[in-house]
Amino acid sequence: MSAAEKILPGHAKYARLFTPLDLGHTVIKNRSIMGSMHTGLEELPDGFERMAAYYAERAAGGVGMIITGGIAPNPEGGMTVKDADGAELFAASKLQNDKEVAGHAIVTKAVHDAAPDCKFVMQILHMGPLAYNDLAVAPSPVKSRIGAFAPAELDEAGIEKQIADHANCAAMAKKAGYDGVEIIGSAGYLLSTFLVKKTNQRTDKWGGSYENRMRFPLEVAERCREAVGDDFIIVFRIAAMDMLQGGMSWHEVAELARELEKVGVSMISTHFTWHESAVPTIATMVPRAAFTSVTGRVRQEVSIPVITSNRINTPEVAETVLADGEADLVSMARPMLADSQFMAKAAEDRADEINTCIACNQACLDHTFGGKTTSCLVNPRACHETLLTYEPTQAAKTIAVIGAGPAGLAYATVAAERGHKVTLFDAADEIGGQFNLAKLVPGKEEFYETLRYYGKMIEKLGIELKLNTRAEADMLSDFEHVVVATGISPRVPDIEGINHEKAVSYVDVLKGNKPVGKRVAIMGAGGIGFDVADTISHDGLSGALDKAVFAKEWGVDFDNHPRGGVTGVEPEVASADREIFLMQRKETNVGKGLGKTTGWTHRLTLQRRGVKMMNAIDYRKIDDAGLHITANGQPDILDVDTVIICAGQEPLRDLYDTLESNGVSVELVGGAYEAAELDAKAAIKQASEMAAAI
Ligand code: NAP
Ligand code: SF4
């Protein structure tokens, strides 16, 4: 830290997090890294300008080092993106020539202008068998379970080309103004497929023994070092625990780390998992800092700095990990999406103002893997910095926001931040609306953080909060503008016997207001049907809160580190003593509509707990005998004690209709606007955009 830099209260509180790291040729000002995340901007025509704004805002927010989303060293290592006429575009997602250097230079200049002391590192990502193009290459022609194409086996000349292309890419990154590169050697991408026997079946000098399997990644690292000289950061990302049956043993991980140090890597970054593995490593149900002990072991093997990551989302957790000696630096990718000012707030001891990443993946990785621009559920400005701006208003209004659920909270805070005078009403005795239900679901405890954030913002921005107050039209005449965010009411399907005592609403079940029997039918298999099934099939402590429980549930052995961390370790199913039927009318597979990157974890969890998933169901009636259905054209009676209704929602918009007919300046937002599309992501985004425009 330079003498001129102000010592802030957070520097003492998070002393290790704010300790600079001297790499010899350069200094990283603190121990925080914004880890690599593909943004989807890389492929857009105005992508460089948008990336410039996105990364510069984070650099200005105080992070020590930023690592970009993956950039391919050549066409075969990347994504094939086609324009409207079907022509292939590679310009933004690869770095191979001077023309592409010019684009990247726009981003590096913006970052260094915003924060000259923030290190900006470009990730070199060769996707290998996961490349979305028919040029895909790999050590052996083994198609990944999740790959789109069978890769071609590299011959000797092809291997040399891949190594040379990595070195060239690193040199180009230096030319573009980056401070370093990160080479990704994990996750099932090219370099990692050389390391593991199931994807490297070669018998030449690039396969067979572990020494031979390490040859390619080591050669890439060494040639990159030669290409960039000594005064340039090279981070190498390894799979410290790949979560693959038959994956890398601990001894192989340790040996790779030691060899990487010898060939001149500046830092080792520990990654956990390959994308194809069946253990969640970043979702909400993963405990915070679950994997840092593995990084700690890698740290014992080398003398260069080691970076840890995964589910570290507060300065407190980061500080603890560093204090425990488990890492030299902490990488937080999604937390920096959620709040670009994460480190600045920590520095000023304002951590309670951090908009915390809740690990939902709904707007970041689900978008990335769905081909959409990345964003963030709790911060819709992420990756949209040039499009969604919260400018101070020139005409402050008095605004009443009715409803303190996600939409109302987002509207109120953005409008107040812009200078409007906001009063926020809610009939309940606490803010949060549907978030208060979500936080009760095992593994969704992070929602408490969102409520803490909004509570703090209400206080800080001077929003007048009126709880226990059901706003009526005649109470709102003094306001210049009214925003109705009254949310939803659970849909009550029109089925005979829906008022039978066996039928209960998901609200009463999640709040614990109504008992749930031993045999249960869940009517509706959307996000909430799954949440309810999870809650009532669950036996004991949430894995998200306890690493040992998580390890048992997912079959991971952190202590003995068998191959991949999982080989031979059976998941221990912690299911409640209940028979559960989860049903929908649609013919599609149950759970098909869940998030792309987390849906599989929910489906797998419930399958392991024996929940019976039924599609194409017709509900006929509920009576003392149970739930009468037609399944596959056959009538049946499920002899259940409880039928939990999770059949979606209806908008609550009576107040809006009244105000509108009275000629009041009024807007409708969130679930009250469109219950069919109701989810927190849509509600917060819509509300933020509206509040940015008022
Ligand atoms: P939802 O996702 O729309 O699902 C509603 C379910 O009810 C569907 O399974 C639907 O399936 C069924 N249904 C609809 N009308 C019905 C009727 N008249 N009779 C019987 N069944 C009916 O709604 P939700 O589960 O309440 O979730 C609300 C929102 O919160 C959604 O946007 C959801 O994505 C979000 N959420 C997300 C998560 C998450 O983890 N990402 C978790 C919870 C909630 P059929 O029509 O096929 O029967
Ligand atoms: Fe975190 Fe969810 Fe935002 Fe992704 S979308 S950064 S997981 S809060």
Side-chain angles (χ1 to χ4, degrees):
M1 194 180 303
S2 72
E5 197 172 330
K6 219 166 109 193
I7 305 289
L8 295 162
H11 292 163
K13 186 165 184 180
Y14 309 112
R16 290 166 187 85
L17 186 56
F18 283 101
T19 300
L21 179 68
D22 192 345
L23 293 178
H25 66 89
T26 192
V27 174
I28 301 177
K29 66 180 169 181
N30 60 48
R31 303 304 178 103
S32 69
I33 296 176
M34 175 176 171
S36 174
M37 243 176 111
H38 190 81
T39 63
L41 300 173
E42 292 83 354
E43 290 80 28
L44 296 182
D46 58 351
F48 288 119
E49 289 72 18
R50 287 181 63 180
M51 278 193 283
Y54 163 70
Y55 286 122
E57 186 169 314
R58 272 115 192 124
V63 67
M65 183 163 106
I66 294 174
I67 303 179
T68 68
I71 303 294
N74 53 29
E76 57 268 36
M79 287 189 279
T80 300
V81 181
K82 298 194 172 163
D83 69 13
D85 301 323
E88 289 182 2
L89 301 172
F90 284 108
S93 59
K94 83 173 170 67
L95 178 55
Q96 208 177 12
N97 54 44
D98 284 338
K99 183 168 169 257
E100 289 157 359
V101 164
H104 284 264
I106 297 170
V107 190
T108 57
K109 178 175 185 322
V111 167
H112 289 134
D113 284 353
D117 57 356
C118 173
K119 302 299 166 210
F120 195 32
V121 168
M122 190 195 85
Q123 186 186 76
I124 304 177
L125 165 64
H126 190 308
M127 297 176 82
L130 299 183
Y132 301 142
N133 74 60
D134 53 12
L135 304 172
V137 292
S140 303
V142 179
K143 184 173 179 297
S144 164
R145 181 174 69 78
I146 58 167
F149 295 91
E153 179 173 318
L154 285 162
D155 60 14
E156 191 69 29
I159 287 182
E160 169 52 31
K161 176 185 184 304
Q162 300 310 317
I163 296 169
D165 285 350
H166 276 82
N168 172 61
C169 187
M172 292 287 151
K174 190 171 186 187
K175 201 169 177 182
Y178 288 103
D179 300 298
V181 289
E182 176 179 82
I183 303 165
I184 185 153
S186 58
Y189 296 129
L190 181 67
L191 274 65
S192 57
T193 55
F194 272 86
L195 291 164
V196 173
K197 272 189 174 163
K198 85 165 179 166
T199 46
N200 182 350
Q201 298 167 357
R202 304 177 74 98
T203 51
D204 59 4
K205 69 174 185 178
W206 305 101
S209 68
Y210 188 55
E211 191 187 351
N212 282 353
R213 282 182 277 135
M214 276 194 301
R215 192 181 307 278
F216 181 81
L218 292 176
E219 191 84 9
V220 166
E222 192 168 11
R223 294 269 289 275
C224 284
R225 176 54 78 204
E226 282 168 20
V228 295
D230 290 336
D231 60 344
F232 197 65
I233 298 168
I234 296 183
V235 182
F236 194 101
R237 193 148 215 222
I238 63 170
M241 206 180 233
D242 56 34
M243 307 294 173
L244 293 176
Q245 295 290 339
M248 285 171 75
S249 71
W250 163 246
H251 298 292
E252 289 172 352
V253 170
E255 192 177 346
L256 178 64
R258 291 191 300 267
E259 294 301 318
L260 285 167
E261 177 170 10
K262 286 187 202 157
V263 298
V265 162
S266 325
M267 289 183 250
I268 288 173
S269 176
T270 50
H271 201 189
F272 309 94
T273 201
W274 275 27
H275 291 313
E276 66 181 66
S277 92
V279 178
T281 52
I282 57 169
T284 321
M285 80 265 282
V286 179
R288 288 174 172 181
F291 301 98
T292 56
S293 60
V294 184
T295 312
R297 285 209 299 278
V298 174
R299 196 169 174 244
Q300 304 301 317
E301 300 291 328
V302 292
S303 57
I304 51 176
V306 180
I307 305 167
T308 196
S309 65
N310 287 48
R311 290 290 281 118
I312 299 169
N313 61 346
T314 70
E316 285 77 12
V317 177
E319 179 69 13
T320 304
V321 167
L322 295 168
D324 290 347
E326 292 187 330
D328 298 283
L329 296 120
V330 172
S331 171
M332 295 172 277
R334 297 174 300 166
M336 302 284 175
L337 232 72
D339 196 331
S340 63
Q341 304 305 300
F342 183 103
M343 287 299 287
K345 289 176 181 177
E348 291 161 14
D349 199 12
R350 296 188 289 123
D352 57 349
E353 293 177 23
I354 291 175
N355 197 0
T356 304
C357 166
I358 57 173
C360 64
N361 285 355
Q362 280 177 251
C364 53
L365 292 178
D366 283 351
H367 279 207
T368 310
F369 287 101
K372 295 186 200 160
T373 304
T374 298
S375 192
C376 172
L377 181 145
V378 299
N379 173 23
R381 286 196 67 246
C383 299
H384 295 74
E385 286 73 16
T386 56
L387 307 178
L388 179 58
T389 56
Y390 302 154
E391 303 297 336
T393 178
Q394 300 304 315
K397 285 188 162 73
T398 54
I399 301 177
V401 178
I402 320 302
L409 289 167
Y411 192 103
T413 48
V414 172
E417 183 185 328
R418 294 187 51 231
H420 293 292
K421 184 162 172 31
V422 179
T423 305
L424 177 61
F425 295 81
D426 203 291
D429 60 0
E430 59 180 348
I431 61 165
Q434 299 298 306
F435 275 165
N436 289 313
L437 283 180
K439 75 187 184 192
L440 300 174
V441 176
K444 291 201 164 179
E445 294 81 3
E446 293 287 357
F447 278 100
Y448 282 98
E449 297 291 351
T450 309
L451 294 170
R452 182 261 311 142
Y453 165 76
Y454 278 121
K456 183 68 193 173
M457 286 299 109
I458 288 169
E459 186 190 310
K460 184 178 161 103
L461 297 169
I463 295 169
E464 189 176 349
L465 179 63
K466 296 196 174 214
L467 294 174
N468 302 305
T469 308
R470 184 170 296 283
E472 306 291 350
D474 57 5
M475 295 158 57
L476 302 170
S477 52
D478 287 344
F479 292 93
E480 291 169 88
H481 189 63
V482 180
V483 177
V484 175
T486 40
I488 49 88
S489 67
R491 177 179 291 124
V492 182
D494 184 14
I495 295 168
E496 186 182 338
I498 193 72
N499 294 321
H500 190 277
E501 61 182 1
K502 284 180 189 263
V504 296
S505 156
Y506 68 86
V507 178
D508 286 324
V509 171
L510 290 175
K511 285 187 171 171
N513 294 341
K514 293 266 174 79
V516 176
K518 288 282 184 204
R519 285 173 54 83
V520 183
I522 299 175
M523 187 184 289
I528 290 177
F530 265 80
D531 277 355
V532 166
D534 191 325
T535 306
I536 66 168
S537 64
H538 199 275
D539 181 22
L541 188 61
S542 153
L545 299 177
D546 189 294
K547 188 172 151 184
V549 173
F550 170 80
K552 273 189 191 165
E553 277 182 342
W554 291 97
V556 184
D557 185 343
F558 287 105
D559 299 325
N560 299 309
H561 202 134
R563 283 198 173 274
V566 293
T567 302
V569 190
E570 284 302 315
E572 275 182 38
V573 180
S575 63
D577 177 22
R578 253 190 198 121
E579 187 170 11
I580 300 168
F581 304 89
L582 177 59
M583 292 176 290
Q584 67 181 27
R585 299 172 303 176
K586 284 189 284 294
E587 290 183 5
T588 50
N589 287 341
V590 173
K592 192 167 187 290
L594 296 177
K596 209 171 169 63
T597 61
T598 53
W600 66 271
T601 62
H602 300 299
R603 288 189 294 269
L604 189 55
T605 300
L606 295 189
Q607 277 161 16
R608 283 183 183 157
R609 293 186 194 158
V611 173
K612 298 180 183 66
M613 301 190 197
M614 301 164 76
N615 57 0
I617 297 297
D618 189 16
Y619 310 113
R620 289 186 289 120
K621 69 173 172 178
I622 302 166
D623 63 16
D624 290 346
L627 176 63
H628 298 243
I629 58 170
T630 303
N632 302 320
Q634 297 298 316
D636 196 1
I637 304 173
L638 297 179
D639 172 20
V640 292
D641 314 307
T642 311
V643 181
I644 305 176
I645 314 297
C646 303
Q649 292 87 13
E650 305 282 0
L652 279 174
R653 52 192 298 170
D654 292 355
L655 178 64
Y656 173 81
D657 292 340
T658 308
L659 291 169
E660 197 191 30
S661 65
N662 291 351
V664 172
S665 166
V666 62
E667 288 177 292
L668 194 58
V669 67
Y673 174 82
E674 176 64 90
E677 288 295 316
L678 165 72
D679 64 37
K681 180 181 81 174
I684 292 175
K685 179 171 185 289
Q686 183 200 26
S688 302
E689 287 171 353
M690 283 165 65
I694 182 82

